[in-house]
Amino acid sequence: MYQALHFFALIPFPDIDPVAFAIGPLAVHWYGLAYVAGILLGWLYARRLVSNGALWKNNQSPITHAHLDDFLVWVAAGVVIGGRLGYILFYDLGAVIESPIRAIEIWNGGMSFHGGFIGATLAIILFARRNAIPVWSMLDIIAAVVPIGLFFGRIANFVNGELWGRLSSMPWAIVFPTGGPFARHPSQLYEAGLEGILLLLVLAVMIYGFKALKTPGLVSSTFVFGYGLCRIFVEFFREPDKQLGYLLGTDWLTMGMILSTPMLLIGIAAIMRARLAARHPSLPEVEGSA
């Protein structure tokens, strides 16, 4: 029976309380701290990047520290609103139609990365145009720091014992409290390693080693392609959302794969656009307008 005995308790789930600490009736969860850590460290890294004129075209960043400070509110709103709306539309629309109050119950399903990505992208474009910043450069600086937030977010998913992987007999498989008595892939850690650490390092090498920020759009388009590739790979190990299941056959095609595939195509097209613009400087760039 699919070697069922191999799936029993290989590594027990670490006993981690989802609540980091409490102040009276106020409970502070690790998930909330992960958001704070991701935004704070991303903001600090972004400030360092814009301070280094040698990394930018014409040796001058078009983005200032004040811009980054002001943008924090914009990106937070874009991620939260887009992430929640994305989860509803992509994963939970039927349940929300049946019970509209579920739309604001963020503990039922939570957020969607793809929705948050769309919301953040819209916030970046609107903010850049409002502040007369080249849109591609604004996209680049945010893309460079997003993997930091992804890393902390996936670690928080692991701590919460959610979004676990498929059944596994690997030595590092873990029995999650909400995943039944069987060991599963710790897919949250796979994503933290790929979407977080690996993608952050790849973009950092591009920025510091190859001065990729001098080619507007190259960093952001590489991020889009890289995330799509990493997410599709991890989807082969991640358990699909129970309300959707597999969309083709018994163990093939998930919503995450479908939503990530356009990112590959968009990323490739944007990389080609960035390289073409670099070879032909006379082509107009996408500029913001006041």
Side-chain angles (χ1 to χ4, degrees), residues 99-112:
S99 177
I101 191 65
R102 186 180 175 91
I104 61 174
E105 296 176 349
I106 59 174
W107 55 90
N108 276 327
M111 313 274 279
S112 158

PDB file of all heavy atoms in Angstrom, residues 99-112:
ATOM      1  N   SER A  99     -20.747  32.706   1.554  1.00  0.00           N
ATOM      2  CA  SER A  99     -20.732  33.411   2.831  1.00  0.00           C
ATOM      3  C   SER A  99     -19.797  34.612   2.713  1.00  0.00           C
ATOM      4  O   SER A  99     -18.600  34.522   2.999  1.00  0.00           O
ATOM      5  CB  SER A  99     -20.250  32.482   3.956  1.00  0.00           C
ATOM      6  OG  SER A  99     -20.178  33.174   5.181  1.00  0.00           O
ATOM      7  N   PRO A 100     -20.318  35.778   2.261  1.00  0.00           N
ATOM      8  CA  PRO A 100     -19.469  36.957   2.005  1.00  0.00           C
ATOM      9  C   PRO A 100     -18.619  37.402   3.191  1.00  0.00           C
ATOM     10  O   PRO A 100     -17.530  37.952   2.995  1.00  0.00           O
ATOM     11  CB  PRO A 100     -20.490  38.035   1.628  1.00  0.00           C
ATOM     12  CG  PRO A 100     -21.649  37.272   1.076  1.00  0.00           C
ATOM     13  CD  PRO A 100     -21.718  36.023   1.904  1.00  0.00           C
ATOM     14  N   ILE A 101     -19.069  37.159   4.414  1.00  0.00           N
ATOM     15  CA  ILE A 101     -18.306  37.576   5.590  1.00  0.00           C
ATOM     16  C   ILE A 101     -16.945  36.890   5.615  1.00  0.00           C
ATOM     17  O   ILE A 101     -15.986  37.386   6.221  1.00  0.00           O
ATOM     18  CB  ILE A 101     -19.087  37.264   6.889  1.00  0.00           C
ATOM     19  CG1 ILE A 101     -18.423  37.942   8.098  1.00  0.00           C
ATOM     20  CG2 ILE A 101     -19.178  35.770   7.102  1.00  0.00           C
ATOM     21  CD1 ILE A 101     -18.451  39.430   8.064  1.00  0.00           C
ATOM     22  N   ARG A 102     -16.826  35.763   4.934  1.00  0.00           N
ATOM     23  CA  ARG A 102     -15.570  35.015   4.887  1.00  0.00           C
ATOM     24  C   ARG A 102     -14.450  35.833   4.230  1.00  0.00           C
ATOM     25  O   ARG A 102     -13.263  35.585   4.475  1.00  0.00           O
ATOM     26  CB  ARG A 102     -15.790  33.704   4.125  1.00  0.00           C
ATOM     27  CG  ARG A 102     -14.610  32.748   4.117  1.00  0.00           C
ATOM     28  CD  ARG A 102     -14.971  31.488   3.334  1.00  0.00           C
ATOM     29  NE  ARG A 102     -13.834  30.590   3.195  1.00  0.00           N
ATOM     30  CZ  ARG A 102     -13.534  29.618   4.034  1.00  0.00           C
ATOM     31  NH1 ARG A 102     -14.296  29.427   5.101  1.00  0.00           N
ATOM     32  NH2 ARG A 102     -12.492  28.832   3.826  1.00  0.00           N
ATOM     33  N   ALA A 103     -14.822  36.822   3.427  1.00  0.00           N
ATOM     34  CA  ALA A 103     -13.827  37.622   2.718  1.00  0.00           C
ATOM     35  C   ALA A 103     -12.890  38.348   3.676  1.00  0.00           C
ATOM     36  O   ALA A 103     -11.721  38.581   3.351  1.00  0.00           O
ATOM     37  CB  ALA A 103     -14.523  38.634   1.801  1.00  0.00           C
ATOM     38  N   ILE A 104     -13.382  38.723   4.852  1.00  0.00           N
ATOM     39  CA  ILE A 104     -12.545  39.445   5.807  1.00  0.00           C
ATOM     40  C   ILE A 104     -12.006  38.530   6.900  1.00  0.00           C
ATOM     41  O   ILE A 104     -11.299  38.992   7.798  1.00  0.00           O
ATOM     42  CB  ILE A 104     -13.322  40.611   6.446  1.00  0.00           C
ATOM     43  CG1 ILE A 104     -14.556  40.107   7.204  1.00  0.00           C
ATOM     44  CG2 ILE A 104     -13.704  41.636   5.389  1.00  0.00           C
ATOM     45  CD1 ILE A 104     -15.278  41.205   7.962  1.00  0.00           C
ATOM     46  N   GLU A 105     -12.318  37.234   6.819  1.00  0.00           N
ATOM     47  CA  GLU A 105     -11.789  36.284   7.795  1.00  0.00           C
ATOM     48  C   GLU A 105     -10.437  35.783   7.304  1.00  0.00           C
ATOM     49  O   GLU A 105     -10.312  34.704   6.731  1.00  0.00           O
ATOM     50  CB  GLU A 105     -12.768  35.115   7.977  1.00  0.00           C
ATOM     51  CG  GLU A 105     -14.107  35.525   8.565  1.00  0.00           C
ATOM     52  CD  GLU A 105     -15.102  34.377   8.644  1.00  0.00           C
ATOM     53  OE1 GLU A 105     -14.821  33.308   8.052  1.00  0.00           O
ATOM     54  OE2 GLU A 105     -16.146  34.533   9.285  1.00  0.00           O
ATOM     55  N   ILE A 106      -9.393  36.593   7.555  1.00  0.00           N
ATOM     56  CA  ILE A 106      -8.076  36.270   6.998  1.00  0.00           C
ATOM     57  C   ILE A 106      -7.497  34.980   7.581  1.00  0.00           C
ATOM     58  O   ILE A 106      -6.553  34.417   7.019  1.00  0.00           O
ATOM     59  CB  ILE A 106      -7.082  37.424   7.234  1.00  0.00           C
ATOM     60  CG1 ILE A 106      -6.945  37.707   8.734  1.00  0.00           C
ATOM     61  CG2 ILE A 106      -7.536  38.679   6.505  1.00  0.00           C
ATOM     62  CD1 ILE A 106      -5.880  38.727   9.052  1.00  0.00           C
ATOM     63  N   TRP A 107      -8.068  34.505   8.695  1.00  0.00           N
ATOM     64  CA  TRP A 107      -7.593  33.237   9.255  1.00  0.00           C
ATOM     65  C   TRP A 107      -8.133  32.049   8.457  1.00  0.00           C
ATOM     66  O   TRP A 107      -7.672  30.935   8.632  1.00  0.00           O
ATOM     67  CB  TRP A 107      -8.001  33.121  10.722  1.00  0.00           C
ATOM     68  CG  TRP A 107      -9.475  33.297  10.943  1.00  0.00           C
ATOM     69  CD1 TRP A 107     -10.434  32.324  10.932  1.00  0.00           C
ATOM     70  CD2 TRP A 107     -10.168  34.530  11.192  1.00  0.00           C
ATOM     71  NE1 TRP A 107     -11.679  32.861  11.160  1.00  0.00           N
ATOM     72  CE2 TRP A 107     -11.541  34.211  11.330  1.00  0.00           C
ATOM     73  CE3 TRP A 107      -9.764  35.858  11.319  1.00  0.00           C
ATOM     74  CZ2 TRP A 107     -12.495  35.196  11.582  1.00  0.00           C
ATOM     75  CZ3 TRP A 107     -10.715  36.819  11.570  1.00  0.00           C
ATOM     76  CH2 TRP A 107     -12.058  36.492  11.699  1.00  0.00           C
ATOM     77  N   ASN A 108      -9.093  32.288   7.575  1.00  0.00           N
ATOM     78  CA  ASN A 108      -9.605  31.236   6.690  1.00  0.00           C
ATOM     79  C   ASN A 108      -8.896  31.337   5.339  1.00  0.00           C
ATOM     80  O   ASN A 108      -9.373  31.967   4.415  1.00  0.00           O
ATOM     81  CB  ASN A 108     -11.125  31.381   6.487  1.00  0.00           C
ATOM     82  CG  ASN A 108     -11.911  30.742   7.606  1.00  0.00           C
ATOM     83  OD1 ASN A 108     -11.492  29.736   8.173  1.00  0.00           O
ATOM     84  ND2 ASN A 108     -13.049  31.331   7.948  1.00  0.00           N
ATOM     85  N   GLY A 109      -7.750  30.719   5.245  1.00  0.00           N
ATOM     86  CA  GLY A 109      -7.027  30.705   3.976  1.00  0.00           C
ATOM     87  C   GLY A 109      -5.890  31.685   3.906  1.00  0.00           C
ATOM     88  O   GLY A 109      -4.834  31.372   3.373  1.00  0.00           O
ATOM     89  N   GLY A 110      -6.069  32.882   4.449  1.00  0.00           N
ATOM     90  CA  GLY A 110      -4.972  33.829   4.468  1.00  0.00           C
ATOM     91  C   GLY A 110      -4.774  34.584   3.171  1.00  0.00           C
ATOM     92  O   GLY A 110      -5.710  35.137   2.606  1.00  0.00           O
ATOM     93  N   MET A 111      -3.531  34.581   2.677  1.00  0.00           N
ATOM     94  CA  MET A 111      -3.144  35.444   1.575  1.00  0.00           C
ATOM     95  C   MET A 111      -2.614  34.628   0.400  1.00  0.00           C
ATOM     96  O   MET A 111      -2.153  33.507   0.567  1.00  0.00           O
ATOM     97  CB  MET A 111      -2.042  36.412   2.045  1.00  0.00           C
ATOM     98  CG  MET A 111      -2.337  37.088   3.364  1.00  0.00           C
ATOM     99  SD  MET A 111      -3.310  38.568   3.179  1.00  0.00           S
ATOM    100  CE  MET A 111      -2.014  39.703   2.713  1.00  0.00           C
ATOM    101  N   SER A 112      -2.635  35.235  -0.769  1.00  0.00           N
ATOM    102  CA  SER A 112      -2.071  34.628  -1.974  1.00  0.00           C
ATOM    103  C   SER A 112      -0.860  35.445  -2.408  1.00  0.00           C
ATOM    104  O   SER A 112      -0.952  36.669  -2.529  1.00  0.00           O
ATOM    105  CB  SER A 112      -3.113  34.603  -3.103  1.00  0.00           C
ATOM    106  OG  SER A 112      -2.500  34.503  -4.368  1.00  0.00           O
TER     107      SER A 112
END
